[in-house]
Amino acid sequence: MMSQEPRTYFLFLFFFLSHGVASHSVPDSRQDLHPLLQKMAEEIIDGSYLNALLDLIQFQSSHGWTADLCHRILAYLNSRNVTFTIPSLQAAMENHLEQRLYQPQKLLEDLRDTDAQQFHTVMKCLLEDKKDLLELEDIVIDLGEIRKQALQSPGVNRSLFLITLERCFQVLNSLECVEILGRVLRGSSGSLLQPNIPEKLPQDLREDAFKNLSVVFKDLYDQTSAHSQRALYSWMTGILQMSFNATDDSVSWVSAENLWILGRYMVHLSLEEIVKISPVEIGLFISYDNATKQLDTVYDITPELAQAFLERISSSSFDMRNISTIHRLGLLVCFYNDLDLLDATVAQVLLHQMIKCSHLRGFQAGVQKLKADLLDIATENQTLNETLGSLSDAVVGLTHSQLESLSPEAVHGAISTLNQVSGWAKSQVIILSAKYLAHEKVLSFYNVSQMGVLLAGVGTQAFYGMDRRDLLQVLRSTNSLHVSDLSPAQKQGVLSKMIEAGDTTSGIVEIQGAFFKEVSLFDLRGEPGFNTTVLKEKELRRSQALFLYELLSKSTRRPEELLSTGQLVKGMTCSHIDAMSADSFLAHFHYFENNLSLLSPYQVNCLAWKYWEVSRSSMPPFLLAALPAHHLASVPASQCVPFLISLGKNQLDSLVLDSHKKNSVLRKVQQCLNNSIADEFAVDIVGKLLCHLPAAIIHSGISARAWATALHGLRDCPGLSPEQKAAVRLRLLEQYGLSRNWTAETMKDLGPFLVLFSGDELSSVATKFPEILQQTSFKIAGTLPPPEFLWAVFESVWNSSERNPSSHPSPGCHGVMAPSSSDIFKLAEANACWAPEDLLCMEEHTFIRSVELLGAVRAFSLPQLVTLKEKAVQVWDMPSYWKEHHITSLGRIALALNESELEQLDLSSIDTVVSLSQQTEWTPGQAKSILQGFLEDSGYSVQDLKSFHLVGLGTTLCAMNITEISLIKISEFRVVMARIGTLLCSIHILAEFKRKAEAVFGHPTKWSSSVLQELGTIAAGLTKEELQMLDKDLMPYFQPSAIKCLPDEIFKELSAEQIAWLGPENAAAVTPGQRRQLSLVQLQSLRRALDGANTRSWPDTPASARPTWAPSSGSPPGAPGTWGLWLGCPLLVIVPETMW
């Protein structure tokens, strides 16, 4: 806990002096006191307690400690007429040393003022000497714990890093100083290595120390900014060149050993330096055993540099077509360009080595082309069936028709290669799995265990048809790792088989990891074999955790056994927390703190109130954010730093969901900061709070000194506001100037911030650094960048690509510059910039190779999707001819299918429907067509549907009518309620699902917290009478999605007390429409819930409650499309912990 962290420093002094006071004989002079202890006593008198600690450590390391020393030191203090009481001395010591942890820049000043011997002691402590415990009679100083806490305190590792740079090389030998620097740097985020740091590094390091420090920099390469990489490279090469002492400029300083020392920094060598490397030295380097390992890590090498290295290697004695040489090339193989008259065997070796090319930072389009060229060579004079197992991951480039042409025997023979390849599209996996199973005939444990990544292509019905014992073996085997790749329907197919009715050994206990989250609450309630041991490796939904915690708490009396069991802490309710004694709560609080990400905002609120009641003086400050906002006003200025540190280590968005309350928290943060961040130490202290600072502070409150460190932290902020982004953009323009002057290092360091700039600002860099811009586009995949950024990426690809006018025979395509496969690959989300006519004119082979990529583009408009659908019809014929893999590959393109086209599809397989139901933008008519298409093509009636069918239908279930829902079998519905409870159906559909839920769990008045949590949005189908009858204790266990789905006229029927008990998360889910219907009293209750008020004292909680800060006192241990709007609920905001 934050309030306990600094105490390690001063506790030993307190005990030490207490020991002295307890003495019955006090010497009357200082004459026999060792000079070092006299110095320590003088430092205590002066208030230099850190220096006193260092002197004591030094004394103890070279002298024996005797009991009378305590009395002599106390006598010395008395002889100096300094009157100390133990409490006042303890408070003074505590305050000073605590402040040094909370004010790391002052710690740096103190360390600068230490004498040589004291500083030597600091450095030796950081080196982790074998003797980490100093024992003074019955007093123990834990130096290891002091070191650990110091290095974990924000800003302290920066102080230690800077002081080590300044003084260590003057006091210790360089090898020891390098070890200390490595330890401090490896424990940092990478922000310590700023571009100015190499200027502070010594230029005269011993050779062994230089090599060791180079290893540290190589290990931290990926955490280091591009500007810092360049500065460190310059420092390293400066030393290497000095030691070379060449008189002839034509002789390169880049020797084999120097290449090895540079490691990943070799990619910063210029072309001129590479071409000067002597053949002998490059040959010697390649012959090193560790050269391949080094070349495997040059992820950011460019094609120009790679080919220059290849040419130098070729100039040595190494034969570039020798298999042994190819094995040594590492990532250089990704740029191999000597393909003339290449042997098929060598091509296959190259393809095998190119598996590692996926690690390259960019240039993947060129890699794909090289693989395609090698694939043609490797299969020359042979069929695909004959060479399939020797083509490595180049097989990912095979088209649907090529895969379909493979024989089942060929796929079976190559399965050991195919099952390990990464990068398969789902449609390819479907084809290959079908081929493999066509050879095997029967789906058994053995052949499933051979499938690896292809397991996801096995049909749901096939899983359900497997022998149950085989399925159990699959889940127990290493192949269970690939079970996570299965769709929800496939997982439910496996579960259905394992827990079929009448089977007394369900095997639920055998299910591990994330797959366990698929088990229904209904099935859990019927399983007798649960204990804390079997739950350790299982992931839990909150409803499962609520049930299991309640179940196991009846037979387990030791809280630590429950709290340390996997994710079981998710299920601890406020009543469980309240029932803990003060001592037990404080002793076990670290379990909660270590699993904070698993806790709901309501649980955190309960923890905060419990801590407030039992030990508010030692309360971790971040918990104040979970209490009503008025508690923040009482944080004194002296406690601002621990408050900021504690809050900055946690996710504010998870602690505070209400915007008004969050503003209150941030006002306190700004008050503590005095609306400014003066230096990099302050950046360390605020931590993740940096992401929430207002635009005004970002623009003018962060000093120039702090900006580089702040920018490093801002890169990781997930959701900056438009105002914050604008402020960051202005600061970046101030820092780097106009975009036309940016360097490659600037582009790399800007990274995700490139999306903040206008089209005009990006236009110059799109031409100058097209590859870096495209790399940035790939790195931010999964987000939807602004159109200006997409157009800049599009421009960079357009300008750097060679293309010819389309030769497509369609009318209107003459002269159109249609996209190529390479263009589409490079553009990713920027494919949205193609005009519909460009897309329509693309070559058929381009569409076939790129359809999956195009189907993943989220920014496509409806006209573009319609054009791509028309292209699919051109290439594959009418929808009635499309197979499962065709439909699966369409992605969002399928949204352009109209109702009659959807009716033409073959939807007999639930797995085909799964691929369609993954899209969330269907209109009601389209959804109904998919639903009816499945029922008609599969031959199932609604009453025949299995649980895995219900899961696979997904959002299309919302297109059912009430009569159809009533026909669903209860036995199938009850095991997938949690999945159905994630759907945002219209309220009358949810009401019908609720009626079915009553058949499983009884009348709503009998529902428990786990049941309500399990039901999700289904609970929104409660009538106003049923809602009013719910106990207030259940209100926090509605899912936020259910609260959003409650009709306004139903929600207003909740009592003021029920609303007050919603908890912070559910209160934040209340919609504006629901809020408008509430009375003044209800609104006051909602405000209390949002604020985190203590519901246990409802309605009378004193607003004046304030914390009593006693920091020195001891403490006990311890952009969905508009098509989705037909659904009955508002579209959800992401909440801290999702359902699945």
Side-chain angles (χ1 to χ4, degrees):
M1 290 176 287
M2 289 302 306
S3 57
Q4 295 175 14
E5 285 182 0
R7 299 183 62 81
T8 310
Y9 283 114
F10 57 79
L11 278 181
F12 86 93
L13 286 172
F14 172 57
F15 289 134
F16 165 70
L17 290 166
S18 296
H19 190 101
V21 167
S23 170
H24 294 290
S25 59
V26 180
D28 57 1
S29 76
R30 69 187 82 171
Q31 60 184 2
D32 295 327
L33 193 61
H34 190 279
L36 192 57
L37 294 181
Q38 289 186 36
K39 181 168 173 278
M40 184 190 87
E42 289 292 337
E43 286 161 342
I44 291 175
I45 294 169
D46 292 341
S48 301
Y49 301 114
L50 175 59
N51 301 62
L53 167 63
L54 296 172
D55 285 339
L56 179 61
I57 294 172
Q58 173 60 26
F59 178 84
Q60 199 277 341
S61 66
S62 55
H63 300 80
W65 187 265
T66 57
D68 65 316
L69 289 175
C70 300
H71 316 317
R72 294 181 182 184
I73 292 171
L74 191 62
Y76 183 93
L77 291 172
N78 290 335
S79 72
R80 296 278 281 106
N81 297 319
V82 176
T83 303
F84 270 121
T85 64
I86 290 302
S88 66
L89 183 56
Q90 179 192 3
M93 291 175 177
E94 176 173 349
N95 182 63
H96 177 88
L97 293 171
E98 181 177 347
Q99 289 308 310
R100 290 307 178 261
L101 278 187
Y102 291 150
Q103 296 176 331
Q105 64 273 51
K106 290 189 177 180
L107 173 63
L108 179 59
E109 294 170 9
D110 283 357
L111 291 172
R112 283 172 175 157
D113 291 339
T114 56
D115 60 38
Q117 188 58 60
Q118 290 170 337
F119 183 77
H120 186 275
T121 301
V122 172
M123 294 294 99
K124 284 295 186 180
C125 287
L126 287 175
L127 273 175
E128 288 189 324
D129 289 339
K130 292 180 180 179
K131 189 174 182 181
D132 274 349
L133 293 177
L134 294 185
E135 299 181 10
L136 315 176
E137 297 266 327
D138 55 342
I139 306 163
V140 176
I141 307 173
D142 190 343
L143 295 179
E145 185 63 23
I146 291 175
R147 179 173 50 248
K148 176 183 174 183
Q149 291 185 4
L151 290 173
Q152 289 178 351
S153 298
V156 172
N157 57 353
R158 186 180 299 277
S159 298
L160 295 172
F161 174 64
L162 293 174
I163 198 65
T164 303
L165 279 179
E166 290 177 21
R167 297 187 61 185
C168 183
F169 292 96
Q170 303 162 24
V171 176
L172 273 67
N173 71 62
S174 56
L175 272 176
E176 291 176 316
C177 294
V178 165
E179 185 179 348
I180 294 169
L181 285 175
R183 180 168 293 117
V184 176
L185 282 171
R186 288 189 173 101
S188 73
S189 63
S191 65
L192 297 185
L193 282 176
Q194 294 296 329
N196 66 329
I197 291 299
E199 301 170 5
K200 303 177 182 180
L201 294 170
Q203 296 292 325
D204 55 352
L205 277 179
R206 283 170 38 186
E207 182 181 356
D208 50 359
F210 169 71
K211 289 180 178 179
N212 288 355
L213 189 53
S214 298
V215 169
V216 173
F217 294 149
K218 287 184 284 188
D219 290 346
L220 296 171
Y221 188 92
D222 288 325
Q223 300 173 43
T224 309
S225 71
H227 280 100
S228 296
Q229 287 175 3
R230 174 58 65 178
L232 289 168
Y233 167 78
S234 297
W235 174 79
M236 292 167 70
T237 55
I239 292 179
L240 292 173
Q241 288 174 15
M242 276 195 304
S243 62
F244 181 61
N245 289 327
T247 55
D248 185 356
D249 288 342
S250 65
V251 179
S252 174
W253 61 270
V254 186
S255 64
E257 184 179 17
N258 288 352
L259 276 174
W260 176 78
I261 291 172
L262 285 173
R264 293 184 62 180
Y265 282 88
M266 65 186 287
V267 303
H268 293 274
L269 287 164
S270 66
L271 280 172
E272 293 77 15
E273 289 169 321
I274 294 172
V275 298
K276 286 169 60 177
I277 301 174
S278 78
V280 173
E281 291 296 333
I282 197 70
L284 185 59
F285 172 70
I286 288 297
S287 67
Y288 284 170
D289 289 338
N290 59 4
T292 303
K293 183 178 180 181
Q294 178 170 318
L295 291 172
D296 279 343
T297 64
V298 288
Y299 308 125
D300 51 345
I301 196 166
T302 63
E304 295 78 16
L305 293 182
Q307 285 165 10
F309 275 116
L310 288 171
E311 288 171 10
R312 297 314 295 155
I313 296 168
S314 179
S315 70
S316 69
S317 58
F318 282 89
D319 178 4
M320 298 300 286
R321 298 196 174 188
N322 181 281
I323 292 175
S324 175
T325 302
I326 291 171
H327 283 155
R328 292 176 174 272
L329 294 178
L331 289 175
L332 298 181
V333 77
C334 308
F335 305 95
Y336 193 93
N337 57 0
D338 184 17
L339 302 188
D340 292 340
L341 303 177
L342 195 69
D343 181 84
T345 302
V346 177
Q348 291 172 7
V349 173
L350 284 165
L351 285 172
H352 180 73
Q353 290 299 303
M354 288 184 73
I355 289 178
K356 64 188 72 170
C357 296
S358 60
H359 298 302
L360 279 176
R361 308 272 166 79
F363 312 109
Q364 290 296 326
V367 170
Q368 298 304 322
K369 184 179 184 309
L370 177 57
K371 284 184 178 181
D373 292 341
L374 290 170
L375 187 63
D376 290 340
I377 297 171
T379 56
E380 197 172 9
N381 301 324
Q382 295 182 83
T383 66
L384 266 179
N385 282 328
E386 293 169 327
T387 57
L388 186 62
S390 59
L391 301 180
S392 192
D393 68 345
V395 291
V396 170
L398 297 176
T399 64
H400 291 166
S401 58
Q402 288 175 306
L403 292 174
E404 287 188 294
S405 71
L406 294 170
S407 69
E409 291 74 22
V411 173
H412 179 267
I415 194 66
S416 60
T417 297
L418 302 177
N419 65 8
Q420 298 180 59
V421 170
S422 61
W424 289 118
K426 182 62 184 288
S427 57
Q428 293 175 306
V429 170
I430 290 170
I431 296 171
L432 288 170
S433 295
K435 292 283 183 182
Y436 177 73
L437 295 177
H439 180 274
E440 293 297 331
K441 311 300 183 193
V442 178
L443 199 58
S444 65
F445 165 69
Y446 173 76
N447 51 46
V448 165
S449 68
Q450 301 299 303
M451 296 188 73
V453 296
L454 301 183
L455 188 66
V458 176
T460 299
Q461 195 70 47
F463 278 123
Y464 183 68
M466 280 184 69
D467 184 276
R468 190 177 161 282
R469 289 168 297 183
D470 284 339
L471 277 176
L472 273 174
Q473 277 188 280
V474 170
L475 293 177
R476 291 169 181 159
S477 70
T478 55
N479 214 57
S480 63
L481 296 173
H482 299 292
V483 171
S484 60
D485 298 328
L486 303 183
S487 72
Q490 289 170 311
K491 291 177 181 177
Q492 188 57 42
V494 172
L495 275 177
S496 297
K497 188 66 175 185
M498 290 181 61
I499 53 181
E500 279 183 323
D503 197 323
T504 54
T505 54
S506 69
I508 289 177
V509 174
E510 302 276 352
I511 300 171
Q512 299 297 325
F515 193 19
F516 189 80
K517 295 172 78 173
E518 303 293 331
V519 178
S520 71
L521 181 61
F522 176 83
D523 287 322
L524 283 188
R525 294 168 74 164
E527 172 59 57
F530 286 115
N531 55 55
T532 53
T533 302
V534 302
L535 289 174
K536 285 189 181 297
E537 303 301 322
K538 295 174 174 30
E539 292 185 31
L540 303 177
R541 295 195 316 276
R542 196 165 301 282
S543 60
Q544 294 172 319
L546 285 165
F547 168 74
L548 290 169
Y549 194 99
E550 184 64 30
L551 174 71
L552 296 177
S553 64
K554 295 174 182 176
S555 57
T556 305
R557 297 303 176 193
R558 295 169 55 235
E560 63 273 16
E561 188 173 341
L562 297 175
L563 294 175
S564 64
T565 299
Q567 298 189 353
L568 202 55
V569 68
K570 285 182 177 181
M572 195 174 200
T573 64
C574 283
S575 59
H576 292 132
I577 295 170
D578 288 341
M580 296 178 76
S581 69
D583 289 342
S584 177
F585 174 79
L586 294 170
H588 295 98
F589 181 76
H590 64 280
Y591 288 110
F592 299 114
E593 196 166 27
N594 294 338
N595 291 288
L596 202 61
S597 61
L598 298 178
L599 303 180
S600 70
Y602 181 62
Q603 285 176 301
V604 175
N605 177 250
C606 296
L607 289 172
W609 277 116
K610 180 70 174 182
Y611 220 124
W612 178 260
E613 291 166 1
V614 302
S615 184
R616 65 186 63 175
S617 64
S618 65
M619 183 174 179
F622 77 88
L623 286 180
L624 282 173
L627 296 178
H630 64 258
H631 288 76
L632 296 167
S634 60
V635 178
S638 62
Q639 291 300 310
C640 266
V641 174
F643 171 70
L644 293 173
I645 290 174
S646 182
L647 202 55
K649 287 183 175 181
N650 294 283
Q651 295 289 352
L652 185 60
D653 285 334
S654 299
L655 289 170
V656 185
L657 284 80
D658 176 52
S659 59
H660 296 291
K661 183 177 179 182
K662 190 177 295 181
N663 288 336
S664 297
V665 174
L666 292 175
R667 279 194 296 272
K668 184 63 185 180
V669 168
Q670 292 170 65
Q671 179 188 340
C672 282
L673 291 171
N674 197 22
N675 290 311
S676 67
I677 293 185
D679 53 33
E680 59 271 44
F681 294 101
V683 178
D684 295 334
I685 284 169
V686 298
K688 296 174 185 176
L689 287 173
L690 191 67
C691 300
H692 302 279
L693 295 181
I697 290 184
I698 294 175
H699 180 247
S700 56
I702 301 178
S703 71
R705 174 181 170 181
W707 176 246
T709 304
L711 188 62
H712 189 276
L714 287 167
R715 287 171 65 100
D716 298 324
C717 296
L720 295 176
S721 70
E723 294 78 16
Q724 288 175 307
K725 290 177 180 178
V728 171
R729 174 182 166 275
L730 289 174
R731 289 297 298 264
L732 290 172
L733 287 173
E734 292 172 9
Q735 179 181 6
Y736 294 121
L738 298 175
S739 58
R740 64 173 177 266
N741 299 323
W742 292 352
T743 63
E745 285 78 23
T746 300
M747 285 286 291
K748 291 176 182 177
D749 284 344
L750 284 173
F753 293 126
L754 286 171
V755 302
L756 306 182
F757 294 92
S758 67
D760 290 340
E761 289 165 330
L762 291 171
S763 181
S764 60
V765 296
T767 303
K768 193 175 177 182
F769 303 111
E771 191 61 42
I772 298 177
L773 193 63
Q774 292 159 34
Q775 288 176 33
T776 302
S777 178
F778 274 102
K779 286 178 182 177
I780 60 175
T783 65
L784 197 56
E788 293 87 350
F789 178 78
L790 294 179
W791 275 105
V793 175
F794 185 81
E795 182 184 347
S796 74
V797 174
W798 181 269
N799 292 337
S800 60
S801 296
E802 296 179 6
R803 61 173 53 77
N804 297 310
S806 174
S807 59
H808 199 279
S810 298
C813 286
H814 180 70
V816 173
M817 296 295 186
S820 66
S821 298
S822 177
D823 292 338
I824 292 169
F825 183 87
K826 292 177 183 177
L827 286 169
E829 198 64 37
N831 279 294
C833 297
W834 294 110
E837 55 268 26
D838 297 333
L839 295 170
L840 191 61
C841 293
M842 81 172 85
E843 303 291 341
E844 286 193 3
H845 66 85
T846 299
F847 177 81
I848 289 170
R849 289 189 176 279
S850 308
V851 60
E852 254 103 3
L853 293 173
L854 294 168
V857 176
R858 296 193 299 161
F860 272 143
S861 65
L862 181 56
Q864 289 170 310
L865 293 175
V866 170
T867 299
L868 289 168
K869 182 255 300 186
E870 293 170 359
K871 191 71 194 179
V873 172
Q874 281 183 12
V875 177
W876 295 333
D877 210 333
M878 299 301 292
S880 57
Y881 292 97
W882 296 356
K883 297 179 181 179
E884 179 185 349
H885 64 263
H886 292 131
I887 300 169
T888 299
S889 67
L890 286 174
R892 288 190 71 244
I893 300 172
L895 293 167
L897 293 166
N898 59 38
E899 293 171 29
S900 63
E901 290 168 330
L902 287 167
E903 289 168 2
Q904 294 178 48
L905 296 176
D906 178 4
L907 299 181
S908 57
S909 166
I910 190 60
D911 300 294
T912 308
V913 178
V914 167
S915 68
L916 295 175
S917 64
Q918 287 173 347
Q919 307 304 324
T920 59
E921 301 160 88
W922 299 110
T923 65
Q926 288 175 307
K928 190 69 174 178
S929 294
I930 295 171
L931 174 65
Q932 292 303 320
F934 171 69
L935 293 175
E936 291 170 9
D937 294 346
S938 67
Y940 288 107
S941 60
V942 173
Q943 53 265 45
D944 296 328
L945 294 178
K946 295 286 188 182
S947 59
F948 49 83
H949 294 139
L950 297 174
V951 170
L953 286 167
T955 56
T956 60
L957 280 176
C958 296
M960 281 189 173
N961 58 44
I962 293 175
T963 302
E964 289 172 323
I965 291 174
S966 67
L967 296 175
I968 296 173
K969 286 182 179 177
I970 295 295
S971 59
E972 304 298 329
F973 172 80
R974 67 192 181 191
V975 296
V976 293
M977 278 190 289
R979 279 283 175 193
I980 295 175
T982 64
L983 303 178
L984 306 179
C985 300
S986 61
I987 194 62
H988 67 280
I989 296 298
L990 294 177
E992 190 59 34
F993 281 137
K994 187 272 302 182
R995 280 189 278 275
K996 298 194 80 67
E998 289 186 67
V1000 181
F1001 294 124
H1003 191 269
T1005 54
K1006 298 179 180 179
W1007 291 355
S1008 63
S1009 58
S1010 58
V1011 169
L1012 197 57
Q1013 182 73 200
E1014 177 88 347
L1015 293 179
T1017 57
I1018 295 173
L1022 289 165
T1023 66
K1024 66 179 182 181
E1025 293 80 14
E1026 292 167 337
L1027 201 58
Q1028 289 171 333
M1029 287 189 293
L1030 284 182
D1031 191 286
K1032 64 183 187 303
D1033 292 334
L1034 289 178
M1035 301 309 293
Y1037 300 103
F1038 275 97
Q1039 286 193 33
S1041 56
I1043 297 296
K1044 285 178 179 287
C1045 286
L1046 282 168
D1048 300 351
E1049 64 276 11
I1050 299 292
F1051 183 79
K1052 72 176 183 179
E1053 299 299 327
L1054 288 170
S1055 69
E1057 187 176 19
Q1058 285 176 310
I1059 291 174
W1061 278 74
L1062 279 172
E1065 189 174 15
N1066 284 338
V1070 174
T1071 67
Q1074 292 169 334
R1075 192 186 296 252
R1076 284 192 293 269
Q1077 297 289 323
L1078 300 181
S1079 67
L1080 182 59
V1081 174
Q1082 288 174 311
L1083 285 171
Q1084 289 173 339
S1085 291
L1086 181 61
R1087 182 72 256 164
R1088 289 172 54 80
L1090 287 166
D1091 208 21
N1094 190 348
T1095 51
R1096 287 161 295 177
S1097 58
W1098 193 90
D1100 299 315
T1101 300
S1104 60
R1106 293 288 188 271
T1108 302
W1109 287 94
S1112 298
S1113 62
S1115 55
T1122 56
W1123 302 343
L1125 296 180
W1126 67 276
L1127 297 171
C1129 308
L1131 293 165
L1132 296 184
V1133 176
I1134 295 176
V1135 293
E1137 193 246 351
T1138 56
M1139 174 68 179
W1140 293 91

